[in-house]
Coordinates of all heavy atoms in Angstrom, one line a residue:
A210 N -7.5 -92.8 72.4 CA -8.2 -91.8 71.6 C -8.0 -92.2 70.2 O -7.1 -92.9 69.8 CB -7.6 -90.5 71.9
L211 N -8.9 -91.7 69.3 CA -8.8 -92.0 67.9 C -9.2 -90.7 67.1 O -9.8 -89.9 67.6 CB -9.5 -93.2 67.5 CG -11.0 -93.2 67.7 CD1 -11.8 -92.5 66.6 CD2 -11.5 -94.7 67.6
Y212 N -8.7 -90.7 65.9 CA -9.2 -89.6 65.0 C -9.7 -90.4 63.6 O -9.1 -91.2 63.1 CB -8.0 -88.7 64.5 CG -8.4 -88.0 63.3 CD1 -9.4 -87.0 63.3 CD2 -7.6 -88.0 62.1 CE1 -9.7 -86.2 62.2 CE2 -7.9 -87.3 61.0 CZ -9.0 -86.4 61.1 OH -9.3 -85.6 60.0
L213 N -11.0 -90.1 63.3 CA -11.6 -90.6 62.1 C -12.6 -89.6 61.6 O -13.6 -89.4 62.3 CB -12.3 -92.0 62.4 CG -12.9 -92.7 61.2 CD1 -11.8 -93.1 60.2 CD2 -13.8 -93.9 61.6
P214 N -12.4 -88.9 60.5 CA -13.4 -88.0 60.0 C -14.6 -88.5 59.6 O -14.7 -89.7 59.2 CB -12.6 -87.3 58.9 CG -11.6 -88.3 58.4 CD -11.2 -89.1 59.6
S215 N -15.7 -87.8 59.4 CA -16.9 -88.3 59.1 C -17.0 -88.6 57.6 O -17.7 -89.5 57.1 CB -18.1 -87.3 59.4 OG -17.8 -86.0 58.9
T216 N -16.3 -87.8 56.8 CA -16.2 -88.1 55.3 C -15.0 -88.9 55.0 O -13.9 -88.7 55.6 CB -16.2 -86.8 54.6 OG1 -15.0 -86.1 55.0 CG2 -17.3 -85.9 54.7
S217 N -15.2 -90.0 54.2 CA -14.0 -90.9 54.0 C -13.8 -91.4 52.6 O -13.2 -92.4 52.4 CB -14.4 -92.2 54.9 OG -15.7 -92.8 54.4
S218 N -14.2 -90.6 51.6 CA -14.0 -91.0 50.2 C -13.7 -89.9 49.3 O -14.4 -88.8 49.4 CB -15.3 -91.8 49.7 OG -15.0 -92.4 48.5
P219 N -12.8 -89.9 48.4 CA -11.9 -91.1 48.1 C -10.6 -91.1 49.0 O -9.9 -92.1 49.0 CB -11.6 -90.9 46.6 CG -11.5 -89.4 46.5 CD -12.6 -88.8 47.4
C220 N -10.4 -90.1 49.8 CA -9.1 -90.0 50.6 C -9.6 -90.1 52.1 O -10.7 -89.6 52.4 CB -8.4 -88.7 50.4 SG -7.8 -88.6 48.7
L221 N -8.8 -90.7 52.9 CA -9.1 -90.8 54.3 C -7.9 -90.9 55.1 O -6.9 -91.6 54.9 CB -9.9 -92.2 54.6 CG -10.1 -92.5 56.1 CD1 -11.1 -91.5 56.6 CD2 -10.7 -93.9 56.1
T222 N -7.8 -90.0 56.2 CA -6.7 -90.0 57.1 C -7.2 -90.3 58.5 O -8.3 -89.8 58.9 CB -6.0 -88.6 57.1 OG1 -5.4 -88.3 55.9 CG2 -4.8 -88.6 58.1
F223 N -6.5 -91.2 59.2 CA -7.1 -91.6 60.6 C -5.8 -91.8 61.5 O -4.7 -91.8 61.2 CB -7.8 -92.9 60.4 CG -7.0 -94.1 59.8 CD1 -6.3 -94.9 60.6 CD2 -7.0 -94.3 58.5 CE1 -5.5 -95.9 60.1 CE2 -6.2 -95.3 57.9 CZ -5.5 -96.1 58.8
G224 N -6.2 -92.0 62.8 CA -5.2 -92.2 63.8 C -5.7 -92.9 65.0 O -6.8 -92.8 65.4
V225 N -4.8 -93.7 65.7 CA -5.1 -94.4 66.9 C -4.0 -94.0 67.9 O -2.8 -94.1 67.6 CB -5.1 -96.0 66.7 CG1 -5.2 -96.7 68.0 CG2 -6.2 -96.4 65.7
F226 N -4.4 -93.7 69.1 CA -3.5 -93.1 70.1 C -3.8 -93.8 71.4 O -4.9 -93.7 72.0 CB -3.7 -91.6 70.3 CG -3.6 -90.9 69.0 CD1 -4.7 -90.6 68.3 CD2 -2.4 -90.5 68.4 CE1 -4.7 -90.0 67.0 CE2 -2.3 -89.9 67.2 CZ -3.5 -89.6 66.5
D227 N -2.8 -94.7 71.9 CA -3.0 -95.5 73.0 C -2.2 -94.9 74.2 O -1.0 -95.1 74.3 CB -2.5 -97.0 72.7 CG -2.7 -97.9 73.8 OD1 -3.2 -97.5 74.8 OD2 -2.5 -99.1 73.6
G228 N -3.0 -94.3 75.2 CA -2.4 -93.7 76.3 C -1.6 -94.7 77.2 O -2.1 -95.9 77.4
V229 N -0.5 -94.4 77.7 CA 0.4 -95.3 78.5 C -0.1 -95.2 80.0 O 0.1 -94.1 80.6 CB 1.9 -94.9 78.4 CG1 2.7 -95.8 79.3 CG2 2.3 -95.0 77.0
S230 N -0.7 -96.3 80.5 CA -1.3 -96.2 81.8 C -0.2 -96.0 82.9 O -0.5 -95.4 83.9 CB -2.0 -97.6 82.0 OG -3.1 -97.8 81.2
G231 N 1.0 -96.6 82.6 CA 2.0 -96.4 83.7 C 2.8 -95.1 83.8 O 3.5 -94.9 84.7
A232 N 2.5 -94.2 82.8 CA 3.2 -93.0 82.8 C 2.6 -92.0 83.9 O 1.5 -92.0 84.2 CB 3.0 -92.3 81.4
E233 N 3.5 -91.3 84.4 CA 3.1 -90.3 85.5 C 2.2 -89.2 84.8 O 2.5 -88.8 83.8 CB 4.4 -89.7 86.2 CG 5.2 -90.7 87.0 CD 6.3 -90.1 87.7 OE1 6.4 -88.8 87.5 OE2 7.1 -90.7 88.3
K234 N 1.2 -88.8 85.6 CA 0.3 -87.8 85.1 C 0.0 -86.8 86.1 O 0.0 -87.0 87.4 CB -1.0 -88.6 84.6 CG -0.8 -89.6 83.6 CD -2.1 -90.3 83.3 CE -1.8 -91.5 82.3 NZ -1.0 -92.6 83.0
D235 N -0.4 -85.6 85.6 CA -0.8 -84.5 86.4 C -2.4 -84.3 86.3 O -2.8 -84.2 85.0 CB -0.2 -83.1 85.9 CG -0.5 -82.0 86.9 OD1 -1.6 -81.9 87.5 OD2 0.3 -80.9 86.8
A236 N -3.1 -84.5 87.3 CA -4.6 -84.6 87.2 C -5.2 -83.3 86.7 O -6.3 -83.2 86.2 CB -5.2 -84.9 88.6
S237 N -4.4 -82.2 86.7 CA -4.9 -80.9 86.3 C -4.7 -80.6 84.8 O -5.1 -79.7 84.3 CB -4.2 -79.8 87.0 OG -2.9 -79.7 86.8
M238 N -4.1 -81.6 84.1 CA -3.8 -81.4 82.7 C -4.5 -82.4 81.8 O -4.9 -83.5 82.3 CB -2.2 -81.5 82.4 CG -1.5 -80.5 83.2 SD 0.4 -80.7 83.0 CE 0.5 -80.2 81.3
V239 N -4.6 -82.1 80.5 CA -5.2 -83.0 79.6 C -4.4 -84.2 79.3 O -3.2 -84.0 79.2 CB -5.5 -82.2 78.2 CG1 -6.1 -83.2 77.1 CG2 -6.5 -81.0 78.5
L240 N -4.9 -85.4 79.1 CA -4.1 -86.6 78.8 C -3.4 -86.4 77.4 O -4.0 -85.8 76.5 CB -5.0 -87.8 78.7 CG -5.5 -88.4 80.1 CD1 -6.5 -89.5 79.8 CD2 -4.3 -88.9 80.9
Y241 N -2.2 -86.9 77.4 CA -1.4 -86.7 76.2 C -2.1 -87.3 75.0 O -2.0 -86.8 73.9 CB 0.0 -87.4 76.4 CG 1.0 -87.0 75.4 CD1 2.0 -86.1 75.8 CD2 1.1 -87.5 74.1 CE1 3.0 -85.6 74.9 CE2 2.1 -87.1 73.3 CZ 3.0 -86.1 73.6 OH 4.0 -85.7 72.8
S242 N -2.7 -88.5 75.1 CA -3.3 -89.2 73.9 C -4.4 -88.4 73.4 O -4.5 -88.3 72.2 CB -3.8 -90.6 74.3 OG -4.7 -90.4 75.5
R243 N -5.1 -87.8 74.2 CA -6.3 -87.0 73.7 C -5.8 -85.7 73.0 O -6.4 -85.3 72.0 CB -7.3 -86.6 74.9 CG -8.0 -87.9 75.5 CD -8.9 -87.5 76.6 NE -9.4 -88.7 77.3 CZ -10.3 -88.7 78.3 NH1 -10.5 -87.5 78.8 NH2 -10.7 -89.8 78.8
M244 N -4.8 -85.0 73.7 CA -4.3 -83.8 73.1 C -3.7 -84.1 71.7 O -3.8 -83.3 70.8 CB -3.3 -83.1 74.1 CG -2.6 -82.0 73.5 SD -3.7 -80.6 73.4 CE -3.8 -80.0 75.0
L245 N -2.9 -85.2 71.7 CA -2.3 -85.5 70.4 C -3.3 -85.8 69.3 O -3.1 -85.4 68.2 CB -1.4 -86.8 70.6 CG -0.5 -87.2 69.4 CD1 0.6 -86.1 69.2 CD2 0.2 -88.5 69.7
S246 N -4.4 -86.6 69.7 CA -5.5 -86.8 68.7 C -6.1 -85.5 68.2 O -6.3 -85.3 67.0 CB -6.5 -87.8 69.3 OG -7.6 -87.9 68.5
T247 N -6.4 -84.6 69.1 CA -7.0 -83.4 68.8 C -6.1 -82.5 67.9 O -6.6 -81.9 66.9 CB -7.3 -82.6 70.1 OG1 -8.2 -83.3 70.8 CG2 -8.0 -81.2 69.7
E248 N -4.9 -82.4 68.2 CA -3.9 -81.5 67.5 C -3.6 -82.1 66.2 O -3.5 -81.4 65.1 CB -2.6 -81.3 68.3 CG -2.8 -80.5 69.5 CD -3.3 -79.1 69.2 OE1 -2.8 -78.5 68.2 OE2 -4.2 -78.6 70.0
F249 N -3.5 -83.5 66.1 CA -3.3 -84.1 64.7 C -4.5 -83.9 63.8 O -4.4 -83.6 62.6 CB -3.1 -85.6 64.9 CG -2.8 -86.4 63.6 CD1 -1.7 -86.3 62.9 CD2 -3.9 -87.1 63.1 CE1 -1.5 -87.0 61.7 CE2 -3.7 -87.9 61.9 CZ -2.5 -87.7 61.2
A250 N -5.8 -84.0 64.4 CA -7.0 -83.7 63.6 C -7.0 -82.3 63.1 O -7.3 -82.0 61.9 CB -8.2 -84.0 64.5
K251 N -6.6 -81.3 64.0 CA -6.5 -79.9 63.5 C -5.6 -79.7 62.4 O -5.9 -79.0 61.4 CB -6.1 -79.1 64.8 CG -7.1 -78.8 65.8 CD -6.6 -78.0 66.9 CE -7.6 -77.7 68.0 NZ -7.0 -76.9 69.2
N252 N -4.4 -80.4 62.5 CA -3.4 -80.2 61.4 C -3.9 -80.8 60.1 O -3.7 -80.2 59.0 CB -2.1 -81.0 61.8 CG -1.4 -80.3 63.0 OD1 -1.7 -79.2 63.3 ND2 -0.5 -81.0 63.6
V253 N -4.6 -81.9 60.2 CA -5.2 -82.4 58.9 C -6.3 -81.6 58.3 O -6.3 -81.3 57.1 CB -5.7 -83.9 59.2 CG1 -6.5 -84.4 58.0 CG2 -4.6 -84.8 59.6
V254 N -7.2 -81.1 59.2 CA -8.3 -80.3 58.7 C -7.8 -78.9 58.2 O -8.4 -78.4 57.2 CB -9.3 -80.1 59.9 CG1 -10.3 -79.1 59.5 CG2 -10.0 -81.4 60.3
N255 N -6.8 -78.4 58.8 CA -6.3 -77.1 58.4 C -5.3 -77.1 57.3 O -4.9 -76.1 56.8 CB -5.7 -76.3 59.6 CG -6.7 -76.0 60.7 OD1 -7.8 -75.8 60.5 ND2 -6.2 -75.9 62.0
D256 N -4.9 -78.3 56.9 CA -4.0 -78.4 55.8 C -4.8 -78.2 54.4 O -5.4 -79.1 53.9 CB -3.4 -79.8 55.8 CG -2.2 -79.8 54.8 OD1 -2.1 -78.9 53.9 OD2 -1.5 -80.8 54.8
I257 N -4.8 -77.0 53.9 CA -5.6 -76.7 52.7 C -4.8 -77.0 51.4 O -5.4 -77.0 50.4 CB -5.9 -75.2 52.7 CG1 -4.6 -74.3 52.7 CG2 -6.8 -74.8 53.9 CD1 -4.9 -72.9 52.6
K258 N -3.6 -77.4 51.6 CA -2.7 -77.7 50.4 C -3.2 -79.0 49.7 O -3.3 -79.1 48.5 CB -1.3 -77.8 50.7 CG -0.7 -76.5 51.2 CD 0.8 -76.6 51.4 CE 1.4 -75.2 51.8 NZ 2.8 -75.3 52.1
T259 N -3.5 -80.1 50.5 CA -3.8 -81.3 49.9 C -4.5 -82.2 51.0 O -4.4 -82.0 52.2 CB -2.5 -82.1 49.5 OG1 -2.8 -83.3 48.9 CG2 -1.6 -82.3 50.6
S260 N -5.1 -83.3 50.6 CA -5.7 -84.3 51.3 C -4.9 -85.6 51.1 O -5.3 -86.6 51.7 CB -7.2 -84.5 51.1 OG -7.4 -84.9 49.8
D261 N -3.9 -85.6 50.3 CA -3.1 -86.7 50.0 C -1.8 -86.6 50.8 O -1.1 -85.6 50.7 CB -2.7 -86.8 48.4 CG -3.8 -87.3 47.6 OD1 -4.6 -88.2 48.2 OD2 -3.9 -87.0 46.5
Y262 N -1.5 -87.6 51.6 CA -0.4 -87.5 52.4 C 0.6 -88.7 52.3 O 0.1 -89.8 52.3 CB -0.8 -87.5 54.0 CG -1.6 -86.3 54.3 CD1 -2.9 -86.5 54.7 CD2 -1.1 -85.0 54.2 CE1 -3.7 -85.4 55.1 CE2 -1.9 -83.9 54.5 CZ -3.2 -84.1 54.9 OH -4.0 -83.0 55.3
D263 N 1.9 -88.3 52.0 CA 2.9 -89.5 52.0 C 3.3 -89.6 53.4 O 3.0 -88.9 54.3 CB 4.0 -89.1 51.0 CG 4.8 -87.9 51.3 OD1 4.6 -87.3 52.4 OD2 5.6 -87.4 50.5
L264 N 4.3 -90.6 53.6 CA 4.7 -90.9 54.9 C 5.5 -89.7 55.6 O 5.4 -89.5 56.8 CB 5.6 -92.2 54.9 CG 4.7 -93.5 54.6 CD1 5.7 -94.5 54.1 CD2 3.9 -93.9 55.7
K265 N 6.2 -89.0 54.8 CA 7.0 -87.9 55.3 C 6.0 -86.9 55.8 O 6.2 -86.2 56.9 CB 7.9 -87.2 54.2 CG 8.6 -86.0 54.6 CD 9.6 -86.3 55.7 CE 10.5 -85.1 55.8 NZ 9.9 -83.8 56.1
R266 N 4.9 -86.6 55.1 CA 4.0 -85.5 55.5 C 3.3 -86.1 56.7 O 2.9 -85.2 57.7 CB 3.0 -85.2 54.4 CG 2.0 -84.0 54.7 CD 2.7 -82.8 55.1 NE 1.8 -81.7 55.4 CZ 2.1 -80.8 56.3 NH1 3.3 -80.7 56.9 NH2 1.2 -79.8 56.5
L267 N 2.9 -87.3 56.9 CA 2.2 -87.9 58.0 C 3.1 -87.7 59.2 O 2.6 -87.3 60.3 CB 1.8 -89.3 57.8 CG 0.7 -89.7 57.0 CD1 0.5 -91.2 56.8 CD2 -0.6 -89.1 57.7
S268 N 4.4 -87.9 59.1 CA 5.3 -87.8 60.2 C 5.5 -86.4 60.6 O 5.5 -86.0 61.8 CB 6.7 -88.3 59.7 OG 7.6 -88.1 60.8
D269 N 5.5 -85.4 59.7 CA 5.5 -84.0 60.0 C 4.3 -83.5 60.7 O 4.4 -82.8 61.8 CB 5.7 -83.2 58.7 CG 7.0 -83.4 58.1 OD1 7.9 -83.9 58.8 OD2 7.2 -83.0 56.9
L270 N 3.1 -83.9 60.3 CA 1.9 -83.6 61.0 C 1.8 -84.1 62.4 O 1.4 -83.4 63.3 CB 0.6 -84.1 60.2 CG 0.4 -83.5 58.8 CD1 -0.7 -84.2 58.1 CD2 0.0 -82.0 58.9
L271 N 2.2 -85.4 62.6 CA 2.3 -85.9 64.0 C 3.3 -85.3 64.8 O 3.1 -85.0 66.0 CB 2.6 -87.4 63.8 CG 2.4 -88.2 65.1 CD1 1.0 -88.1 65.7 CD2 2.7 -89.7 64.9
T272 N 4.4 -84.9 64.2 CA 5.4 -84.2 65.0 C 5.0 -82.8 65.5 O 5.2 -82.5 66.7 CB 6.7 -84.0 64.1 OG1 7.2 -85.3 63.7 CG2 7.8 -83.3 65.0
E273 N 4.3 -82.1 64.6 CA 3.7 -80.9 65.0 C 2.7 -80.9 66.1 O 2.7 -80.1 67.0 CB 3.1 -80.2 63.8 CG 4.1 -79.8 62.7 CD 3.3 -79.4 61.4 OE1 2.1 -79.2 61.4 OE2 4.0 -79.2 60.4
A274 N 1.9 -82.0 66.0 CA 0.9 -82.2 67.1 C 1.6 -82.6 68.4 O 1.2 -82.2 69.5 CB -0.1 -83.4 66.7
A275 N 2.7 -83.4 68.3 CA 3.4 -83.8 69.5 C 4.1 -82.7 70.2 O 4.2 -82.7 71.4 CB 4.5 -84.9 69.1
E276 N 4.6 -81.8 69.5 CA 5.2 -80.6 70.0 C 4.2 -79.8 70.9 O 4.5 -79.3 72.0 CB 5.8 -79.7 69.0 CG 7.0 -80.4 68.3 CD 7.5 -79.5 67.1 OE1 6.8 -78.5 66.7 OE2 8.6 -79.9 66.6
V277 N 3.0 -79.7 70.5 CA 1.9 -79.1 71.2 C 1.6 -79.9 72.5 O 1.5 -79.3 73.6 CB 0.7 -78.8 70.4 CG1 -0.4 -78.2 71.3 CG2 0.9 -77.9 69.3
A278 N 1.5 -81.2 72.3 CA 1.1 -82.0 73.5 C 2.2 -82.1 74.5 O 2.0 -82.2 75.7 CB 0.8 -83.5 72.9
D279 N 3.5 -82.0 74.0 CA 4.6 -81.9 75.0 C 4.5 -80.8 76.0 O 4.8 -80.9 77.1 CB 5.9 -81.8 74.3 CG 6.4 -83.2 73.5 OD1 5.8 -84.2 73.9 OD2 7.3 -83.0 72.7
A280 N 4.0 -79.7 75.4 CA 3.9 -78.5 76.2 C 2.6 -78.4 77.1 O 2.6 -77.7 78.1 CB 4.0 -77.2 75.3
K281 N 1.5 -79.0 76.6 CA 0.2 -78.8 77.2 C -0.5 -80.0 77.8 O -1.5 -79.8 78.5 CB -0.8 -78.1 76.1 CG -0.3 -76.8 75.6 CD -1.3 -76.2 74.6 CE -0.9 -74.9 74.1 NZ -1.9 -74.4 73.1
A282 N 0.1 -81.1 77.6 CA -0.6 -82.4 78.1 C 0.3 -83.1 79.1 O 1.5 -82.8 79.3 CB -0.9 -83.3 76.9
T283 N -0.3 -84.2 79.7 CA 0.4 -85.0 80.7 C 0.3 -86.5 80.3 O -0.6 -86.9 79.6 CB -0.2 -84.8 82.0 OG1 0.6 -85.6 83.0 CG2 -1.7 -85.3 82.1
G284 N 1.3 -87.2 80.7 CA 1.4 -88.6 80.3 C 2.1 -88.9 79.1 O 3.0 -88.2 78.7
A285 N 1.8 -90.0 78.4 CA 2.5 -90.5 77.2 C 1.5 -91.3 76.3 O 0.5 -91.8 76.9 CB 3.8 -91.3 77.5

Side-chain angles (χ1 to χ4, degrees):
L211 61 78
Y212 166 63
L213 183 67
S215 56
T216 57
S217 59
S218 187
C220 301
L221 173 67
T222 300
F223 59 89
V225 175
F226 309 94
D227 186 354
V229 179
S230 296
E233 294 183 3
K234 303 175 185 69
D235 183 337
S237 65
M238 300 177 71
V239 178
L240 284 174
Y241 198 101
S242 57
R243 295 182 186 175
M244 177 67 76
L245 188 66
S246 175
T247 299
E248 292 300 319
F249 180 75
K251 287 181 182 178
N252 292 342
V253 171
V254 172
N255 294 333
D256 190 351
I257 60 176
K258 294 182 180 180
T259 181
S260 58
D261 280 332
Y262 299 118
D263 64 8
L264 291 164
K265 175 64 167 58
R266 185 59 181 150
L267 280 175
S268 177
D269 290 344
L270 293 173
L271 188 59
T272 299
E273 294 169 10
E276 290 172 353
V277 176
D279 285 346
K281 298 182 178 181
T283 185

